Amino acid sequence: MSASAAFAGEITIWCWDPNFNVAIMKEAGEIYSKTHPDTTFNVVDFAKLDVEQKLQTALASGTTNALPDIVLIEDYGAQKYLQSFPGSFAPMDDVVDYSKFAPYKVELMTLDGKVYGMPFDSGVTGLYYRSDYLEEAGFTADDMDGITWDRFIEIGKQVEEKTGHKMTSIDLNDGGMTRIMMQSAGEWYFDENGDLDVVDNKALKAALETQAKMANEGILYPATGWANYVNAFTSGNTASVITGVWITGTIKAQEAQSGKWRVAPIPSLDGVEGASHASNLGGSSWYVLSSSDVKDEAIDFLNEIYAKDVDFYQKILTERGAVGSLLAAREGPAYQEADPFFGGEEVWQQFSDWLNQIPPVDYGIFTNELDTAVTANLRSLVDGKPVDEVLKAIEQQAKYQIQ
């Protein structure tokens, strides 16, 4: 009774995507309210850009009464908010057992020894491929497991020769693939001190060279923009797609392709120390504002549902395709189910295993600016400019953008 009396109020939450984050948070609120009937939830649905603009404006102006109690922040932007607005977010490491989560998610919300935020969905990556195309070209599932990018390219050339289909598609105007490759080797655009790490960054160099090689070897289906990129694999034009687990629902929406898809770990970077077959693309986490009048209640809510409720994670996986970063959720029944769409593979279990293997990196506060510099110069590498000159051009542009 005393706990219920202490926790009695309305928790306001800002987030985006009504079919994913918003719906999941409403579900979490309903579960919590069963044991805390005096707690109500006001889940406000904004566009992602609106959430970021409203949060930035309120924090910069110090207008704390305009802030929510909980806000969703994309993982790439976490350090930017934590470092730019110190004291604005409530640390939760005295309440939350962060050892229960994927290490890379905890790392990105840690600053000066304190951990902020509640880890939520993962962007753990995978290699989705058309087993029918690969079999036609003479390859088995074993041939796709644990390969390097160079081997991926060689397979792609044979797939096109024997089936007429391009191996995959990359939008060279988007920095996503560069980020996937870099993080798979435990590197980012910045070093452990937050300083630019471009010219001598072996993982970044290999990531750029690999993408240029794929383009020049002719295994890429051209894509510009999200819709064009998605159409490349949903239409059957390509034999694979390498991206975050959140694409699963889009792939499965093509009912006529059921049974024809499989998943494998992403390729590793050739000749790069620390290269692995696990990485991340995207993902977000929940943060509590220090100015909240119901701060303790908001933290308790996040801790009870997102840090402890394994059944909740089974439900959002089944209904929303959300792969959470709570490691214990992997033991639940939803993660063990075979998926006929993927030939009976336990797809969610595979992704959850890879989740725990993602190398943690410090995303820093200027990821978006570095992405811009990379995509602006990647095409010149494809066209034959020496990679060391390209890296210098990226660094020069990045310094200009972040000064």
Side-chain angles (χ1 to χ4, degrees):
M1 293 295 293
S2 61
S4 296
F7 290 160
E10 181 179 76
I11 298 175
T12 297
I13 302 161
W14 287 359
C15 52
W16 61 86
D17 194 343
N19 295 315
F20 193 77
N21 301 311
V22 175
I24 288 170
M25 184 50 94
K26 287 181 177 179
E27 173 69 24
E30 290 175 5
I31 295 172
Y32 188 79
S33 293
K34 291 177 181 177
T35 54
H36 299 78
D38 293 330
T39 300
T40 58
F41 293 87
N42 176 27
V43 183
V44 185
D45 175 21
F46 291 118
K48 177 175 176 289
L49 183 60
D50 289 341
V51 171
E52 294 169 344
Q53 289 179 338
K54 289 177 181 294
L55 181 62
Q56 175 77 23
T57 299
L59 291 174
S61 65
T63 313
T64 57
N65 60 353
L67 291 168
D69 304 299
I70 298 173
V71 65
L72 185 67
I73 295 177
E74 187 177 39
D75 290 340
Y76 294 126
Q79 284 294 322
K80 186 171 187 176
Y81 286 106
L82 292 175
Q83 294 184 38
S84 300
F85 304 104
S88 295
F89 300 93
M92 295 195 278
D93 42 355
D94 58 340
V95 176
V96 179
D97 182 358
Y98 285 105
S99 68
K100 295 180 178 180
F101 294 92
Y104 90 95
K105 288 285 279 192
V106 180
E107 178 79 17
L108 61 87
M109 57 179 59
T110 300
L111 180 65
D112 296 333
K114 303 293 290 183
V115 189
Y116 303 79
M118 175 58 65
F120 177 37
D121 70 311
S122 170
V124 54
T125 53
L127 162 55
Y128 298 80
Y129 66 91
R130 288 285 297 266
S131 60
D132 52 342
Y133 294 172
L134 270 295
E135 288 172 7
E136 185 180 345
F139 297 101
T140 67
D142 289 341
D143 293 319
M144 301 302 293
D145 187 26
I147 62 176
T148 66
W149 281 103
D150 277 351
R151 180 57 180 158
F152 178 81
I153 292 170
E154 288 304 314
I155 292 173
K157 290 161 69 174
Q158 294 180 53
V159 166
E160 182 174 12
E161 179 183 341
K162 296 177 181 179
T163 73
H165 296 285
K166 294 290 187 181
M167 186 59 177
T168 194
S169 181
I170 296 176
D171 183 354
L172 296 176
N173 296 310
D174 181 271
M177 187 55 71
T178 300
R179 280 182 262 128
I180 289 174
M181 292 179 176
M182 266 199 306
Q183 185 161 3
S184 72
E187 299 292 341
W188 204 247
Y189 295 125
F190 313 95
D191 62 20
E192 63 274 10
N193 298 317
D195 298 323
L196 266 180
D197 183 15
V198 174
V199 172
D200 297 319
N201 188 324
K202 293 182 179 179
L204 174 57
K205 181 178 182 178
L208 299 178
E209 288 180 313
T210 299
Q211 292 174 82
K213 184 175 182 180
M214 285 194 283
N216 289 323
E217 292 285 357
I219 72 163
L220 296 183
Y221 184 87
T224 303
W226 177 253
N228 194 226
Y229 169 74
V230 170
N231 182 67
F233 56 87
T234 58
S235 66
N237 286 326
T238 61
S240 69
V241 58
I242 298 171
T243 191
V245 66
W246 34 260
I247 205 67
T248 305
T250 301
I251 293 175
K252 291 181 67 173
Q254 316 308 312
E255 296 180 4
Q257 298 173 13
S258 180
K260 299 178 180 179
W261 284 90
R262 302 289 188 273
V263 296
I266 67 169
S268 62
L269 286 172
D270 297 85
V272 177
E273 184 179 354
S276 75
H277 297 280
S279 192
N280 177 75
L281 183 65
S284 302
S285 301
W286 304 102
Y287 292 79
V288 174
L289 278 301
S290 296
S291 58
S292 168
D293 292 333
V294 290
K295 177 176 62 178
D296 292 340
E297 188 172 2
I299 293 173
D300 183 75
F301 156 63
L302 291 175
N303 189 47
E304 287 300 313
I305 305 303
Y306 287 91
K308 298 179 180 180
D309 194 337
V310 171
D311 290 339
F312 166 70
Y313 282 98
Q314 310 308 301
K315 185 175 178 63
I316 64 175
L317 176 69
T318 301
E319 296 183 355
R320 305 290 170 183
V323 175
S325 47
L326 182 71
L327 298 177
R330 300 181 298 172
E331 307 304 322
Y335 283 83
Q336 314 298 324
E337 290 184 2
D339 192 332
F341 191 95
F342 291 95
E345 288 188 347
E346 296 176 356
V347 173
W348 300 121
Q349 185 62 56
Q350 292 184 71
F351 275 106
S352 65
D353 290 342
W354 302 333
L355 167 66
N356 199 33
Q357 301 167 19
I358 299 172
V361 298
D362 183 353
Y363 289 142
I365 64 175
F366 294 114
T367 287
N368 290 337
E369 287 80 359
L370 265 295
D371 263 3
T372 299
V374 165
T375 56
N377 290 279
L378 179 55
R379 178 59 65 178
S380 65
L381 179 62
V382 175
D383 294 337
K385 188 174 182 178
V387 66
D388 289 335
E389 292 184 19
V390 172
L391 288 167
K392 290 178 182 177
I394 291 171
E395 182 178 68
Q396 186 176 25
Q397 180 174 337
K399 286 180 175 180
Y400 176 77
Q401 288 181 285
I402 66 179
Q403 64 181 345

